[in-house]
Amino acid sequence: MDIKTVGIVGAGQMGNGIAHVFALAGYDVTLNDIAEENLSKALTIIEKNLDRQLSREKITAEQKDAALARISTTTRLADLGASDLIIEAATERETVKNAIFEDLQPHLKPETILTSNTSSISITRLASRTDRPEKFMGFHFMNPVPVMQLVELIRGIATDEPTYKALLAVVETIGKTAASAEDFPAFIVNRILMPMINEAVYTLYEGVGNVRSIDESMKLGANHPMGPLELADFIGLDTCLAIMNVLHEGLADTKYRPCPLLTKYVEAGWLGRKTDRGFYDYRGDTPVPTR
């Protein structure tokens, strides 16, 4: 299938990044969100990120203007129905995702491919609730989308070969690299990354090290660009906890039990950078450890 138009559900951190890379690659993009305010904010962020690329001479002024011109916004989910490809990038809750696909269904073209940017939820299960499980895939981008090179492609049990090949070609067109994953909890990246972050929280919880010593140890001792607790704050502690719960429930192994301290931070509403407090306090000029 020749994919030219892309509909994106959700204008948050992931959605606006996905819109950015698709528009820059020449696709016509329709960005949807339930709130007009979120759409305006997304367009501002996209323009700012394009300006950053322009200042670093990664793109030209003409490419920036053309990309912005290719993005339209709407609060009506039905407006995405005419798209060749739809990418759902809403909140990481299965009930929300199922409701979105159900509302989209009456408006879709028969050949439209449906995808989810979920970081951990079963693709087979999401696909089974739609009228086209063979044209449904996991399309998991890494954050921040314009910078990160990888896209995880996850086939559900019913996904057909033409759908997989079409998305493989799309990943190449947008200048990313695909990693094909089987449909098991958290796929590849988060299956490995989240238990590491969870173990770092346990290390803090058990008093083996404080926030700064844990992060410095992994940056200087393992050459990680960002410490695990700093990275957890960047991802969002609620997202980390949700993925650990998916791993724990889906694989029924105690090694995936979320650390009680991670749960406590989420209960406090200390979710990381997006709430100005997590394992670090971001309300001042420089981040200060909270433990």
Side-chain angles (χ1 to χ4, degrees):
M1 181 181 174
D2 189 17
I3 294 169
K4 292 193 169 85
T5 56
V6 179
I8 298 165
V9 184
Q13 195 172 34
M14 297 304 293
N16 72 59
I18 295 167
H20 173 140
V21 299
F22 271 91
L24 201 53
Y27 292 91
D28 290 322
V29 174
T30 306
L31 183 59
N32 162 265
D33 199 279
I34 53 173
E36 192 68 58
E37 176 192 347
N38 293 346
L39 293 168
S40 300
K41 186 179 171 187
L43 288 175
T44 302
I45 291 168
I46 291 167
E47 183 161 15
K48 185 174 131 194
N49 288 337
L50 286 166
D51 279 335
R52 186 179 289 121
Q53 288 178 309
L54 180 61
S55 69
R56 293 174 181 170
E57 298 183 348
K58 291 183 182 291
I59 61 170
T60 64
E62 291 75 20
Q63 285 174 307
K64 175 202 156 183
D65 293 341
L68 288 171
R70 290 188 195 106
I71 302 172
S72 59
T73 62
T74 180
T75 54
R76 293 180 68 251
L77 202 54
D79 293 342
L80 269 56
S83 305
D84 299 325
L85 167 66
I86 290 177
I87 304 166
E88 171 276 314
T91 188
E92 191 69 354
R93 280 167 48 204
E94 192 165 345
T95 51
V96 172
K97 293 179 187 298
N98 283 332
I100 287 166
F101 290 123
E102 190 178 328
D103 290 348
L104 271 170
Q105 208 156 281
H107 310 287
L108 299 175
K109 300 187 296 184
E111 65 273 21
T112 297
I113 293 174
L114 292 178
T115 68
S116 175
N117 182 56
T118 179
S119 53
S120 60
I121 297 168
S122 166
I123 299 304
T124 297
R125 202 163 61 235
L126 288 173
S128 72
R129 301 288 295 273
T130 73
D131 65 344
R132 62 195 69 208
E134 71 288 345
K135 289 187 176 297
F136 193 107
M137 276 194 73
F139 207 25
H140 182 217
F141 288 81
M142 306 296 130
N143 184 34
V145 182
V147 175
M148 300 296 277
Q149 185 64 24
L150 188 75
V151 181
E152 282 183 318
L153 287 183
I154 307 102
R155 275 186 274 207
I157 198 168
T159 307
D160 63 24
E161 193 65 17
T163 299
Y164 171 70
K165 284 187 172 166
L167 289 188
L168 206 55
V170 167
V171 173
E172 195 175 321
T173 307
I174 61 174
K176 304 284 186 193
T177 301
S180 298
E182 292 301 316
D183 185 24
F184 289 100
F187 319 130
I188 296 171
V189 172
N190 283 318
R191 172 77 177 262
I192 297 166
L193 176 65
M194 285 303 157
M196 185 200 76
I197 286 174
N198 195 50
E199 197 59 36
V201 183
Y202 267 116
T203 307
L204 178 66
Y205 176 62
E206 292 168 6
V208 180
N210 61 27
V211 169
R212 202 177 293 285
S213 65
I214 290 165
D215 277 351
E216 288 299 309
S217 294
M218 293 309 291
K219 284 194 281 191
L220 302 179
N223 208 25
H224 289 194
M226 198 182 281
L229 301 175
E230 186 185 0
L231 180 57
D233 276 358
F234 180 74
I235 293 166
L237 303 193
D238 52 339
T239 301
C240 295
L241 180 59
I243 296 169
M244 285 310 301
N245 281 327
V246 166
L247 281 166
H248 192 221
E249 290 159 17
L251 298 170
D253 191 324
T254 55
K255 74 178 180 179
Y256 298 115
R257 183 172 73 98
C259 179
L261 185 61
L262 178 61
T263 303
K264 192 63 69 184
Y265 269 71
V266 173
E267 286 173 345
W270 292 17
L271 309 181
R273 283 188 174 272
K274 61 187 171 186
T275 58
D276 285 332
R277 270 192 295 190
F279 292 113
Y280 292 86
D281 188 325
Y282 299 94
R283 292 173 298 175
D285 293 334
T286 56
V288 178
T290 53
R291 281 179 95 83

